[in-house]
Amino acid sequence: MAITYMTKDGYKKKIEEIAYLENVKRPEISRAIAEARDKGDLSENAEYDAAKEAQGMLEMKISQLKDLVANARIIDDSKLNTEEVQILNKVKIKNVANGQTMEYTIVADSEANLREKKIASSTPIAQGLLGHRVGEVVEIRVPSGLMKFEIVEISF
């Protein structure tokens, strides 16, 4: 599994999610399996099959999360700067074509959340911005074609 870069906060959230899945969801599914088993014939017991499938999915999710945190590298925010766009920076960009401005924080893939305006560092827009400075205009290939963005501001 590849190394994943995370903030301290993102790492903490993943650890909390693992604890929740192991300490709350796992016992719930075990109870559901036991209840379904108590209802008799397992060969035609849809509840039992569904509970066993849910258990398999849960264990897979726990395993994936554990792999993710095992290979995580915590990003030290004290080493960040705003000279050029880098991971964890908040970047304000202006679409050169229509003048519309947008603001995104570039984060590790595991922390991306568009509703919170956090974009994964592996996305075309983030890739196009990384390493550039305020005032530069970058051309980024997106699914709809080539777009030009001016970097207006870089902050934390």
Side-chain angles (χ1 to χ4, degrees):
M1 178 144 193
I3 290 175
T4 304
Y5 293 94
M6 295 182 163
T7 59
K8 284 181 194 149
D9 191 41
Y11 183 81
K12 185 173 161 244
K13 283 180 183 170
K14 295 295 178 195
I15 295 293
E16 288 168 358
E17 186 177 357
I18 291 168
Y20 172 76
L21 294 175
E22 287 182 332
N23 301 323
V24 177
K25 296 308 275 182
R26 187 183 272 161
E28 282 176 9
I29 290 176
S30 292
R31 278 193 296 280
I33 290 171
E35 285 174 23
R37 195 181 307 120
D38 291 345
K39 291 183 180 167
D41 185 11
L42 297 181
S43 65
E44 293 180 17
N45 189 330
E47 278 180 58
Y48 179 79
D49 292 341
K52 287 299 279 183
E53 186 175 328
Q55 181 183 42
M57 298 293 279
L58 177 73
E59 293 305 325
M60 188 172 72
K61 174 107 174 134
I62 290 170
S63 176
Q64 288 172 338
L65 285 169
K66 284 185 170 183
D67 283 349
L68 186 72
V69 298
N71 293 296
R73 299 291 178 270
I74 307 299
I75 299 167
D76 181 357
D77 351 21
S78 70
K79 299 237 183 338
L80 297 177
N81 69 61
T82 55
E83 293 295 309
E84 59 184 36
V85 179
Q86 56 185 346
I87 194 161
L88 290 191
N89 281 150
K90 184 181 284 185
V91 185
K92 185 184 238 178
I93 56 176
K94 182 170 77 176
N95 182 327
V96 174
N98 64 16
Q100 182 183 5
T101 61
M102 296 154 273
E103 197 168 66
Y104 297 110
T105 302
I106 299 174
V107 297
D109 292 8
S110 61
E111 296 181 50
N113 182 334
L114 213 46
R115 268 185 258 118
E116 295 175 10
K117 296 190 177 189
K118 294 179 177 180
I119 60 170
S121 60
S122 64
T123 61
I125 289 181
Q127 287 291 306
L129 295 172
L130 290 169
H132 291 280
R133 297 170 180 267
V134 170
E136 285 186 42
V137 174
V138 293
E139 286 188 352
I140 300 172
R141 181 157 303 284
V142 293
S144 60
L146 200 61
M147 296 183 79
K148 288 184 180 181
F149 295 101
E150 179 184 348
I151 299 172
V152 178
E153 187 181 327
I154 303 170
S155 61
F156 286 120

